[in-house]
Amino acid sequence: MKIPFTKMHGLGNNYIYIDLFQTELPENRLSELAINMSNQNTGIGSDGMILIHPAGKADVGMRIFNKDGSEGMNCGNGLRCTAKYAYETGIVDKKEFTIQTKANIVWATVKENNEQKVNEVTIDMGAPILQREQIPMLGEAGTTVINEPFEVADKTLHVTAVSMGNPHVITMVDAIDDAPLTTLGPVIEKDERFPEGVNTEFIEVVSDEEIHFRVWERGSGVTEACGTGACAAVVAATLNKKVTKGKKIVVHLAGGDLIIEWREDDHIWMTGGAETIASGVFYA
């Protein structure tokens, strides 16, 4: 089977994109394809696979598969790249349009450079979910998780839990370079208190307008960036009174910067770049 693909990245968070407006794939092979394509030694190499497809309730749809073959609910960097691809290939013919994920439907706005290529995308990510059982995280239903003590691997962290259509748990640290990303990230990801697993973020709040951020992504491990995680980080910093709601916050990820704004209407707006790396054909 010959599968045309485009590889794209948002701040280094790279996925293999397959256009299901042009290509058909068997449903029972999607997880296998994600694993094989993502393999950096025998495949293309990526953080996972994203399918761009027709959607009944939106202008375009997107499905996310992590590099371990598991299917994700949402991906902020993936949304920006999907918006770029959909606009530049003519799937949509307007600069504001909707994208449907397994989590929700969001609005995307694309901005072109002088060469009529999309170089910046803003996404209305919707409102964060804070109820514990909706993260989901075990514990008393109807409560929120804000600066809550969390015992793991003989250490006590203080965590805040947020869902952006996918689960995140955020810990604030004094220095981002000292964050236990690779030691505690994989442990927390599979902790039994998170029945669906969790994305693990460590953040250093520099000021009321600036945050350093690192992430261990569920199903993918350390990645250069996580758009939904950056949104969750700003929510967590706001809930812990480290930044002010309504301000535009620059979040410094390993792969670059995102601008995140949690507006007074409770919606979170994410702005950042999206880049095409390569295109080709994968033989499966």
Side-chain angles (χ1 to χ4, degrees), residues 125-160:
M125 298 293 289
I129 298 167
L130 302 176
Q131 295 286 340
R132 180 189 296 267
E133 68 275 15
Q134 295 178 34
I135 302 297
M137 181 179 178
L138 299 184
E140 183 182 351
T143 62
T144 57
V145 183
I146 302 173
N147 199 36
E148 181 175 296
F150 187 89
E151 301 286 340
V152 60
D154 297 324
K155 298 182 183 299
T156 301
L157 305 179
H158 285 80
V159 304
T160 299

Side-chain angles (χ1 to χ4, degrees), residues 169-182:
V169 63
I170 301 97
T171 300
M172 283 180 280
V173 296
D174 293 330
I176 198 65
D177 290 338
D178 297 332
L181 182 62
T182 57

Side-chain angles (χ1 to χ4, degrees), residues 15-280:
Y15 286 87
I16 298 153
Y17 292 78
I18 301 174
D19 183 349
L20 297 190
F21 286 85
Q22 305 292 333
T23 303
E24 291 187 12
L25 294 179
E27 180 71 27
N28 63 358
R29 291 196 61 190
L30 296 181
S31 291
E32 171 196 349
L33 283 171
I35 293 169
N36 293 341
M37 283 184 163
S38 300
N39 189 297
Q40 64 179 354
N41 296 312
T42 59
I44 300 166
S46 72
D47 293 321
M49 175 182 77
I50 287 180
L51 308 180
I52 300 174
H53 61 86
K57 297 181 179 180
D59 294 305
V60 63
M62 148 179 144
R63 290 178 68 184
I64 310 108
F65 289 83
N66 299 310
K67 67 194 303 182
D68 67 356
S70 60
E71 186 167 6
M73 297 293 289
N74 205 0
C75 175
N77 294 312
L79 282 166
R80 297 199 314 280
C81 289
T82 294
K84 174 183 172 73
Y85 182 93
Y87 183 79
E88 290 185 349
T89 59
I91 291 173
V92 298
D93 59 1
K94 50 193 175 183
K95 292 186 178 180
E96 294 186 16
F97 53 92
T98 53
I99 303 175
Q100 182 175 343
T101 70
K102 284 211 148 188
N104 54 13
I105 295 175
V106 304
W107 278 94
T109 303
V110 299
K111 181 179 179 181
E112 294 175 294
N113 60 20
N114 293 334
E115 298 174 352
Q116 295 186 315
K117 295 293 184 181
V118 173
N119 63 344
E120 185 178 273
V121 181
T122 298
I123 305 285
D124 176 359
M125 298 293 289
I129 298 167
L130 302 176
Q131 295 286 340
R132 180 189 296 267
E133 68 275 15
Q134 295 178 34
I135 302 297
M137 181 179 178
L138 299 184
E140 183 182 351
T143 62
T144 57
V145 183
I146 302 173
N147 199 36
E148 181 175 296
F150 187 89
E151 301 286 340
V152 60
D154 297 324
K155 298 182 183 299
T156 301
L157 305 179
H158 285 80
V159 304
T160 299
V162 179
S163 173
M164 292 301 307
N166 55 354
H168 297 270
V169 63
I170 301 97
T171 300
M172 283 180 280
V173 296
D174 293 330
I176 198 65
D177 290 338
D178 297 332
L181 182 62
T182 57
T183 53
L184 293 187
V187 179
I188 298 172
E189 176 195 358
K190 299 183 182 298
D191 190 282
E192 62 183 8
R193 285 164 284 190
F194 298 100
E196 296 179 7
V198 72
N199 298 286
T200 305
E201 285 91 20
F202 295 92
I203 66 171
E204 174 193 345
V205 179
V206 179
S207 71
D208 195 36
E209 300 176 341
E210 190 176 6
I211 292 173
H212 289 304
F213 170 102
R214 295 294 182 271
V215 60
W216 178 280
E217 287 202 56
R218 178 182 60 169
S220 294
V222 175
T223 61
E224 291 288 290
C226 177
T228 56
C231 295
V234 169
V235 172
T238 305
L239 294 174
N240 284 278
K241 304 186 186 307
K242 301 296 184 181
V243 300
T244 304
K245 189 173 183 179
K247 277 197 171 186
K248 292 183 178 180
I249 311 297
V250 178
V251 181
H252 301 296
L253 304 95
D257 295 346
L258 288 174
I259 297 175
I260 308 295
E261 182 182 4
W262 188 11
R263 296 184 180 175
E264 293 301 328
D265 65 359
D266 213 31
H267 282 222
I268 299 176
W269 293 74
M270 171 189 64
T271 299
E275 300 289 342
T276 300
I277 300 171
S279 60

